[in-house]
Amino acid sequence: MNFNNFTIKSQEAVQEAINLAQARGQQAIETAHVLYGVMKVGENVTNFIFQKLGMNGGQISVVLDKQIDSFPKVSGDGSPYLSRETNDVFQKANQYAKEMGDEYVSLEHLLLSLLTVNSTVSTILKDAGMNEKELRAAIS
């Protein structure tokens, strides 16, 4: 995965996801870590989108935190790696950026791919009231 075509904010979100996983003793970088990173780094963007879609960002944070706590912990010096789902999310975000005529993968592309790639995070977002059509409209 080439992160050079990610915006600075997107790169920061990915770094935040890695930092969170490491701080909690988790080796696999899961989609929940990525959503956490997107929400932390892009607080203004996600709050705007959540409000526009009538979603409760605080509630999503609580559910997300519980999900992250449930991930297995490792001891020792295991190198962090991307889970299959997280890799799929990054691939899809790249695809969305190209489809939308953007040169770089933005936080919005990451959020859209987190919603559309089948994962626990996708379910969390859908349960909170997000759907692809409304998210695309909010992004536009």
Side-chain angles (χ1 to χ4, degrees):
M1 175 61 38
N2 181 6
F3 291 105
N4 290 335
N5 61 343
F6 278 48
T7 63
I8 299 294
K9 283 285 186 196
S10 293
Q11 289 178 14
E12 287 173 4
V14 171
Q15 188 58 55
E16 197 62 49
I18 294 167
N19 293 347
L20 174 65
Q22 289 178 325
R24 298 218 184 165
Q26 298 159 339
Q27 196 172 7
I29 311 302
E30 300 287 352
T31 55
H33 295 113
V34 177
L35 179 57
Y36 172 89
V38 168
M39 288 174 66
K40 183 165 184 192
V41 169
E43 197 174 345
N44 296 342
V45 173
T46 54
N47 284 346
F48 172 78
I49 289 173
F50 290 165
Q51 283 180 334
K52 199 160 176 118
L53 300 179
M55 296 168 59
N56 183 338
Q59 190 178 6
I60 293 171
S61 292
V62 169
V63 173
L64 198 56
D65 203 45
K66 284 181 183 163
Q67 181 64 40
I68 292 168
D69 273 345
S70 74
F71 295 140
K73 295 176 179 18
V74 294
S75 57
D77 289 339
S79 297
Y81 66 91
L82 298 179
S83 71
R84 186 188 51 76
E85 288 173 346
T86 301
N87 195 45
D88 291 348
V89 163
F90 291 155
Q91 300 289 343
K92 193 80 165 170
N94 256 321
Q95 187 182 324
Y96 283 137
K98 287 183 181 128
E99 282 174 18
M100 295 175 174
D102 295 321
E103 193 175 336
Y104 295 98
V105 174
S106 69
L107 293 174
E108 291 88 344
H109 300 127
L110 285 173
L111 194 56
L112 186 57
S113 63
L114 282 163
L115 175 68
T116 57
V117 170
N118 193 17
S119 70
T120 311
V121 164
S122 168
T123 306
I124 290 170
L125 291 172
K126 288 174 184 170
D127 287 349
M130 187 180 279
N131 69 53
E132 186 178 352
K133 183 179 177 191
E134 289 176 356
L135 178 57
R136 283 180 179 268
I139 290 170
S140 297

